Amino acid sequence: MADVLKKVPVREQEPQVRAKNFDEVCLGYNKEEAMDEATRCINCKNAQCVKGCPVAINIPGFIQQVKEGNIEEAYKIIGESSALPAICGRVCPQESQCEGKCIRGIKGEPVSIGKLERFVADYALENDIKPVGAEEKNGHKVAVIGSGPAGLTCAGDLAKLGYDVTVFEALHELGGVLVYGIPEFRLPKHAVVKKEIEKVKELGVKFETNVVIGKSTTIDQLIEEEGFEAVFVGSGAGLPKFMGIPGENANGVFSANEYLTRSNLMKAFDESYDTPIVAGTKVAVVGGGNVAMDAARTALRLGAEVHIVYRRSEEELPARVEEVHHAKEEGVIFDLLTNPKEILVDENGYVKGMVCVKMELGEPDASGRRRPVEVEGSEFTIDLDTIIMSLGTSPNPLISSTTEGLEVNKWKCIVADEETGKTTKEGVYAGGDAVTGAATVILAMGAGKAGAKGIHEYLSNK
Ligand SMILES: Cc1cc2nc3c(=O)[nH]c(=O)nc-3n(C[C@H](O)[C@H](O)[C@H](O)COP(=O)(O)OP(=O)(O)OC[C@H]3O[C@@H](n4cnc5c(N)ncnc54)[C@H](O)[C@@H]3O)c2cc1C
């Protein structure tokens, strides 16, 4: 019987073992463990956890079904709000959303909502439980740009309402950051992402890969020449930022996105693929977010000594606590309060080191975090052969610059209404990272849902 104050522990690969492989770190609950953990939910009438979930899953409802062992019923309840529960159960920041609001968390640990969601979703994938789709099509054609969580959710919701939906994806694989960004050891691609996308296909959504909107065709052409009555833009924020310091163009300097794409999408970690990647023997990842942790843990698994170089202290690290904890356990070294000044390059144009300075924290800045200030005379050099810049990303301006009347803000994010996804161009809706800048899977899914609702209202009234 579960201890009411503590989560039923979840099984994980041992740190020394997993630091050398790309298999999933967390092994999840089995049915017995899930049913045991579900008994900790007190089924609050005014459930705060639901308010903390951007797609408002009926959390107490599905957990009560798990408690009784009705896993298929639990999956149906989750499916009413989310098309990607096996993904969300793995990568959502539950500690600041549903679990952050759980009443159990006041005196002890919150209910392990994420791990229960993951258990139910994996059960549905293993047992091929089908999602419930529309009985017939309504004859309206909608285009969705991008197959990340925003696009997949919008497409799935519209298909459930009977729309004829086509998703256009620039890459050869579907899934957006779920396939090219988040590493295999946190989110398995074949066992989870592909299978969950199959469920969206089962709703009747069509997919066209290798179509770059803005180059292969444009939004205006989709509407004027191809008969699409509405378009949802879920093209993400994949354009990396750099520091602008000397030496940044050297061989061996990557953006985190490129490094992770080579490893995840192009399988550089798998010896049977010939994708080149500079594995490096000594790697520095500059930045302290989740993406930096993913890049660091990937480089570690490729055999390198890895340093996270971050200009603030541990308290300000933007990455999830769980990710920092896993990275430390696996042997990633944290060089905190450290800022790069210059990349040193050898005579062949390859990275040979990085000049850094030590920092201390001053007064809070506009973000509310204490501003890092350089310590005079603290310059030092680290020998390195690979540097991965993980400083954030912004939306690629290709779509906005090729679409008449689509307004963007100064960060090139598409201007769209939060409730409906409506943009400044008639019939065009948008959501996810393309609108907010880099955020989270579940926020992108929430925006995809809002976009589907907005498009449904628009086409119903047209
Ligand atoms: C390495 C990494 C780790 C992350 N870890 C987490 C995590 O643990 N938890 C979490 O919640 N969030 C995480 N995030 C953030 C999260 O993945 C994103 O917020 C989310 O994927 C955004 O979804 P989206 O659908 O808006 O965009 P994306 O997932 O970026 O998908 C956009 C899609 O649009 C396609 N596209 C772009 N331009 C065009 C075009 N012109 N024509 C056609 N297609 C186009 C892209 O190829 C892509 O497939 C992580 C991000 C990264 C990079």
Side-chain angles (χ1 to χ4, degrees):
M1 192 66 184
D3 175 345
V4 289
L5 295 182
K6 287 209 153 142
K7 292 178 174 181
V8 170
V10 68
R11 286 161 293 117
E12 288 181 344
Q13 275 197 76
E14 289 300 323
Q16 319 81 276
V17 177
R18 68 180 195 239
K20 295 190 178 67
N21 69 48
F22 277 83
D23 298 339
E24 196 173 7
V25 169
C26 175
L27 304 173
Y29 285 149
N30 59 28
K31 188 168 177 184
E32 200 187 347
E33 290 161 340
M35 287 175 69
D36 206 11
E37 177 63 16
T39 61
R40 298 184 61 237
C41 173
I42 51 175
N43 198 7
C44 306
K45 272 221 168 73
N46 181 16
Q48 296 301 309
C49 52
V50 180
K51 294 186 184 146
C53 171
V55 296
I57 294 175
N58 175 0
I59 295 167
F62 97 76
I63 295 182
Q64 295 318 300
Q65 295 298 333
V66 175
K67 204 184 277 183
E68 288 162 28
N70 303 327
I71 313 304
E72 190 161 343
E73 210 42 53
Y75 177 68
K76 282 193 193 140
I77 294 175
I78 297 176
E80 288 163 11
S81 315
S82 169
L84 309 171
I87 293 165
C88 288
R90 286 171 166 82
V91 302
C92 264
Q94 290 101 7
E95 66 279 7
S96 58
Q97 297 180 336
C98 52
E99 292 184 20
K101 297 256 182 335
C102 173
I103 299 298
R104 276 263 179 245
I106 297 173
K107 273 204 173 152
E109 289 180 353
V111 175
S112 196
I113 300 168
K115 299 289 183 289
L116 288 174
E117 180 186 28
R118 167 191 163 137
F119 165 73
V120 171
D122 284 1
Y123 178 94
L125 293 179
E126 278 153 27
N127 293 283
D128 199 22
I129 300 171
K130 304 270 181 231
V132 184
E135 290 188 352
E136 50 189 65
K137 294 229 184 238
N138 64 18
H140 293 289
K141 261 177 85 175
V142 179
V144 170
I145 303 172
S147 64
L152 289 172
T153 302
C154 183
D157 276 17
L158 287 170
K160 281 187 196 164
L161 291 166
Y163 288 90
D164 177 358
V165 188
T166 307
V167 177
F168 296 97
E169 167 54 52
L171 295 173
H172 62 285
E173 289 270 6
L174 302 173
V177 171
L178 306 174
V179 289
Y180 76 72
I182 304 179
E184 181 74 20
F185 55 82
R186 284 212 294 127
L187 185 61
K189 310 301 163 218
H190 280 277
V192 177
V193 182
K194 282 199 173 162
K195 282 196 186 165
E196 216 144 63
I197 293 176
E198 278 308 310
K199 300 232 170 278
V200 180
K201 285 187 188 163
E202 282 164 14
L203 292 170
V205 175
K206 291 176 270 185
F207 289 91
E208 288 194 27
T209 50
N210 298 313
V211 182
V212 183
I213 304 296
K215 278 201 191 294
S216 325
T217 181
T218 63
I219 288 186
D220 292 314
Q221 283 171 314
L222 289 175
I223 296 172
E224 286 156 24
E225 296 168 21
E226 306 214 19
F228 289 99
E229 294 165 77
V231 178
F232 176 81
V233 186
S235 51
L239 199 65
K241 293 181 185 151
F242 285 90
M243 291 189 79
I245 55 174
E248 234 173 353
N249 290 329
N251 291 316
V253 180
F254 292 86
S255 70
N257 264 27
E258 181 187 346
Y259 193 82
L260 288 166
T261 301
R262 281 175 188 249
S263 176
N264 295 327
L265 189 66
M266 298 156 79
K267 306 279 180 251
F269 68 85
D270 185 334
E271 279 170 12
S272 58
Y273 285 72
D274 56 7
T275 305
I277 193 165
V278 185
T281 51
K282 203 167 168 190
V283 176
V285 179
V286 181
N290 288 318
V291 180
M293 298 307 138
D294 282 344
R297 296 171 72 199
T298 297
L300 190 92
R301 283 161 172 77
L302 288 167
E305 174 187 309
V306 184
H307 294 245
I308 288 274
V309 174
Y310 179 60
R311 63 195 185 128
R312 290 184 158 99
S313 71
E314 173 142 9
E315 223 169 277
E316 289 83 22
L317 275 171
R320 291 179 70 188
V321 175
E322 182 180 320
E323 298 308 320
V324 176
H325 172 70
H326 278 149
K328 281 189 178 168
E329 271 189 340
E330 290 165 11
V332 172
I333 301 157
F334 283 71
D335 295 338
L336 300 169
L337 290 166
T338 302
N339 202 30
K341 291 287 267 191
E342 182 184 351
I343 292 168
L344 303 174
V345 187
D346 71 13
E347 59 284 6
N348 299 316
Y350 283 85
V351 169
K352 64 174 184 180
M354 188 160 72
V355 179
C356 296
V357 281
K358 292 307 283 178
M359 309 294 279
E360 57 191 10
L361 294 179
E363 293 302 311
D365 61 16
S367 70
R369 295 179 302 173
R370 289 175 66 195
R371 187 194 300 275
V373 185
E374 195 173 315
V375 178
E376 230 173 279
S378 63
E379 222 170 79
F380 66 101
T381 301
I382 327 179
D383 292 334
L384 295 166
D385 48 31
T386 306
I387 297 171
I388 303 170
M389 292 292 180
S390 182
L391 307 162
T393 52
S394 59
N396 189 317
L398 180 64
I399 289 183
S400 53
S401 63
T402 54
T403 311
E404 196 68 40
L406 189 65
E407 197 180 311
V408 290
N409 64 19
K410 64 176 172 179
W411 298 283
K412 304 283 179 240
C413 295
I414 297 171
V415 175
D417 179 67
E418 213 178 301
E419 302 285 312
T420 61
K422 192 174 187 310
T423 69
T424 50
K425 186 174 173 78
E426 195 189 334
V428 179
Y429 291 73
D433 284 6
V435 169
T436 55
T440 63
V441 170
I442 195 75
L443 286 174
M445 287 176 62
K449 278 191 129 7
K453 196 171 134 238
I455 289 175
H456 182 49
E457 273 165 19
Y458 168 67
L459 292 178
S460 304
N461 295 328
K462 204 175 162 193

